[in-house]
């Protein structure tokens, strides 16, 4: 016999709002799907550890799924119709793709946008020097990192360099088990008395994040820098490059480790680059789902757009970042190939009636650092898709603030699809803050809301997310793309 509830208990149930762990209500079948989805994600991000690699992985799937190059379609004057699937690859570093819906573009499009760059250690343009019997790569860190976290862990070298014939060489060393890895050294505790007194942002300085490249001297007494020559010789033999070629190269050092399950229950995933590839991957999969299978897809009502951008970690600048006109141009292209007698007004109308989820990670509540979080509005690992009504620092400065009307609309869609959501405010007032790409779309007139997956140790070499949040984000983005 169930105990009779008191009036107060009934009223409490009716009037108060509590967010529970998503694991508590998940069935066995769905649990299997969650674990399987996490495995696919882990494999994907191990292959896509840089914006270029992630872009390439997405692109190859889009081509398999019969998406066509929008720029080629434009040049060929090809008109687009409902159900057509198009992409625009922007310099191999950012990507936008769409499934054309039944409604006119002028009705607006549904977008999920995420960024595919992550904090890392970039090689300088004239990187190689010799000191103390070592050849060393000089570096410049990228994004907001705690410098000290990047020392004494195995690093892999990824990127592109052009050889003297102008041929692009793809660099990827440190991912195969038989590859060598790279490392940034740190001072031994025995001699760190002074270092340990310094502030955390000073005890390993940005200029001290240089990477070991080798130590065996080239056997020739006439040569001044013998170890440097050894390394240059190896690079020359492998890629056909000389020292000069590094002036134009883009080489990134990223953690060499793979994505791994975390915890005895395997409910969490530890990996490099969850920010923001966990949202990029779920957005990508959700948008793909809207295209249906290659043979018989259900055509979405509104046009579905997935935007994957670069350079978010340094302000979304440049022609691959979200501040560029990539997205605006893409919508213009779609308008021009679908709207009769297309004019600029059609584009403005389309943008102003569009809706976007800016999919980016949020700081998960961390019991080790409880005092920076407001537990009532923080996001928690395992509690679903985190909705951030606003971002910014201090008095919400520089942030993007979603309208109540739009937030309500998104919540209603998620509720309708049984997608669990939670709050996602970044820390207590005046403890810090941040922002994402939402504001750049919002500036074009698009309704935009920040929402994403809670992450522990954001911007560290090994970030942690929950498998069920990954799954929930995927389901939430798909629901939004179909129904917004
Ligand atoms: Mn991010
Ligand atoms: Mn970030």
């Amino acid at each position: 016999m169930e105990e009779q509830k008191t009036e107060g208990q009934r009223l409490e149930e009716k009037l108060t709002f509590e967010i529970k762990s998503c694991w508590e209500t998940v069935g066995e079948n769905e649990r299997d799907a969650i674990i399987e989805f996490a495995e696919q994600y882990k494999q994907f991000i191990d292959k896509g550890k840089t914006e270029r690699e992630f872009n390439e992985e997405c692109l190859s799937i889009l081509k398999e799924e019969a998406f066509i190059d929008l720029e080629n379609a434009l040049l060929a004057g090809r008109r687009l119709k409902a159900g057509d699937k198009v992409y625009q690859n922007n310099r191999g570093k950012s990507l936008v793709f769409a499934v054309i819906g039944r409604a006119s573009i002028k009705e607006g499009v549904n977008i999920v946008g995420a960024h595919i760059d992550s904090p890392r250690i970039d090689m300088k343009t004239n990187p190689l020097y010799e000191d103390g019997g070592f050849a060393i790569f000089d570096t410049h860190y990228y994004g907001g990192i705690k410098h000290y976290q990047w020392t004494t862990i195995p690093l892999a070298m990824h990127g592109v360099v052009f050889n003297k014939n102008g041929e692009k060489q793809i660099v990827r060393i440190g991912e195969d088990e038989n590859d060598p890895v790279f490392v940034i050294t740190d001072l031994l505790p025995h001699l760190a008395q002074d270092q340990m007194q310094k502030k955390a942002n000073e005890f390993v300085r940005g200029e001290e994040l240089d990477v070991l490249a080798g130590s065996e001297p080239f056997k020739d007494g006439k040569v001044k820098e013998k170890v440097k020559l050894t390394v240059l010789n190896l690079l020359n033999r492998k890629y056909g490059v000389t020292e000069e070629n590094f002036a134009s190269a883009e080489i990134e050092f990223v953690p060499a480790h793979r994505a791994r399950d975390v915890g005895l229950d395997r409910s969490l995933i530890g990996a490099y680059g969850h920010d923001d590839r966990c949202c990029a991957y779920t957005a990508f999969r959700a948008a793909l789902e809207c295209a249906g299978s290659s043979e018989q897809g259900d055509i979405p009502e509104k046009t579905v757009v997935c935007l994957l951008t670069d350079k978010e970690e340094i302000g979304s600048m440049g022609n691959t970042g979200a501040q560029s006109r990539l997205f605006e141009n893409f919508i213009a292209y779609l308008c021009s190939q679908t709207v009769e007698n297309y004019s600029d007004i059609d584009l403005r109308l389309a943008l102003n009636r569009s809706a976007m989820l800016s999919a980016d990670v949020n700081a998960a509540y961390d019991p080790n650092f409880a005092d920076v979080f407001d537990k009532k509005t923080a996001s928690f690992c395992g509690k679903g898709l985190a909705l951030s009504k606003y971002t910014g620092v201090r008095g919400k400065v520089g942030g993007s603030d979603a309208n109540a009307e739009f937030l309500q609309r998104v919540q209603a869609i998620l509720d309708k699809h049984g997608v669990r959501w939670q709050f996602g405010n970044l820390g207590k007032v005046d403890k810090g803050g941040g922002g994402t790409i939402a504001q750049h779309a919002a500036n074009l007139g698009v309704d935009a809301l920040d929402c994403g997956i809670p992450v522990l140790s954001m911007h560290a070499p090994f970030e942690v997310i929950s498998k069920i949040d990954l799954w929930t984000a995927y389901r939430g983005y798909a629901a939004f793309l179909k129904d917004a």
Side-chain angles (χ1 to χ4, degrees), residues 115 117 119 274-277 312-313 359-362 435-436 458-459:
H115 67 92
D117 61 316
H274 282 319
D275 179 7
D276 183 30
R277 295 182 193 127
E312 194 274 348
E313 296 296 355
D360 205 347
V361 294
N362 202 292
T436 71
M458 194 192 295
H459 289 195

Side-chain angles (χ1 to χ4, degrees), residues 98-382:
V99 181
I100 310 296
R102 281 190 298 256
S104 165
I105 302 274
K106 286 192 278 186
E107 302 289 320
V109 302
N110 295 340
I111 313 139
V112 180
H115 67 92
I116 58 175
D117 61 316
S118 297
R120 61 186 190 241
I121 310 290
D122 283 347
M123 200 183 262
K124 279 194 186 177
T125 45
N126 185 16
L128 202 56
Y129 68 96
E130 180 169 335
D131 192 358
F134 299 108
I136 301 168
F137 288 124
D138 203 352
T139 68
H140 197 140
Y141 66 97
Y142 173 97
I145 62 166
K146 290 177 164 178
H147 302 156
Y148 65 88
Q149 291 179 333
W150 293 73
T151 64
T152 68
I153 58 165
L155 298 171
M157 182 172 157
H158 292 234
V160 296
V161 57
F162 286 83
N163 67 20
K164 46 191 180 308
N165 300 325
E167 295 153 346
K168 193 198 280 190
Q169 304 293 305
I170 307 290
V171 176
R172 192 176 163 97
I173 305 172
E175 295 297 336
D176 189 278
E177 250 177 64
N178 299 311
D179 280 355
V181 293
F182 303 88
V183 70
I184 298 165
T185 56
D186 192 9
L187 189 58
L188 65 167
H190 318 65
L191 295 179
Q193 268 186 43
D194 291 344
Q195 185 196 36
M196 298 293 272
Q197 302 308 313
K198 291 181 189 169
K199 287 190 204 150
N201 60 358
E202 285 168 3
F203 68 67
V204 175
R205 292 199 176 85
E207 199 57 81
E208 292 164 351
L209 292 171
D210 291 355
V211 174
L212 283 186
S215 68
E216 185 178 339
F218 192 90
K219 286 190 184 62
D220 185 333
K222 295 269 169 64
V223 173
K224 265 192 295 175
E225 296 186 303
K226 300 183 185 67
V227 184
K228 178 176 166 180
L229 191 64
T230 297
V231 170
L232 278 175
N233 193 32
L234 287 167
L235 288 167
N236 181 262
R237 276 196 271 167
K238 197 168 166 70
Y239 302 113
V241 297
T242 67
E243 191 171 21
E244 187 186 356
N245 296 125
F246 285 94
S248 63
E250 286 181 2
I251 308 280
E252 310 174 8
F253 290 99
V254 298
H257 51 235
R258 292 175 167 271
R260 301 285 296 266
D261 287 347
V262 171
L264 287 169
D265 58 6
R266 296 178 174 265
S267 59
L268 305 163
I269 308 168
Y272 163 65
H274 282 319
D275 179 7
D276 183 30
R277 295 182 193 127
C278 63
C279 294
Y281 179 76
T282 46
F284 176 74
R285 287 283 302 264
L288 265 191
E289 192 184 287
C290 295
S293 69
S294 306
E295 294 82 39
Q296 40 121 31
D298 298 324
I299 298 172
E301 180 56 26
K302 281 196 191 163
T303 293
V304 160
V305 177
C306 180
L307 173 66
L308 302 176
T309 72
D310 178 30
K311 298 283 185 280
E312 194 274 348
E313 296 296 355
I314 56 170
S316 295
M317 324 298 280
N319 62 6
T320 58
Q323 296 211 52
S324 75
R325 300 186 86 156
L326 167 70
F327 169 69
E328 188 183 353
N329 289 347
F330 184 80
I331 302 300
Y333 300 157
L334 293 188
C335 282
S336 75
Q337 299 313 101
T338 57
V339 177
E340 286 300 322
N341 304 316
Y342 162 68
S343 84
D344 187 58
I345 299 303
D346 299 319
L347 168 65
R348 304 294 144 202
L349 208 55
L351 289 169
N352 205 47
R353 302 169 103 184
S354 289
M356 176 181 183
L357 292 184
S358 165
D360 205 347
V361 294
N362 202 292
Y365 172 79
D366 186 340
N368 276 339
F369 304 98
D371 59 325
V372 301
F373 295 92
D374 167 13
K375 268 182 134 172
K376 298 194 308 310
T377 57
S379 61
F380 289 77
C381 277

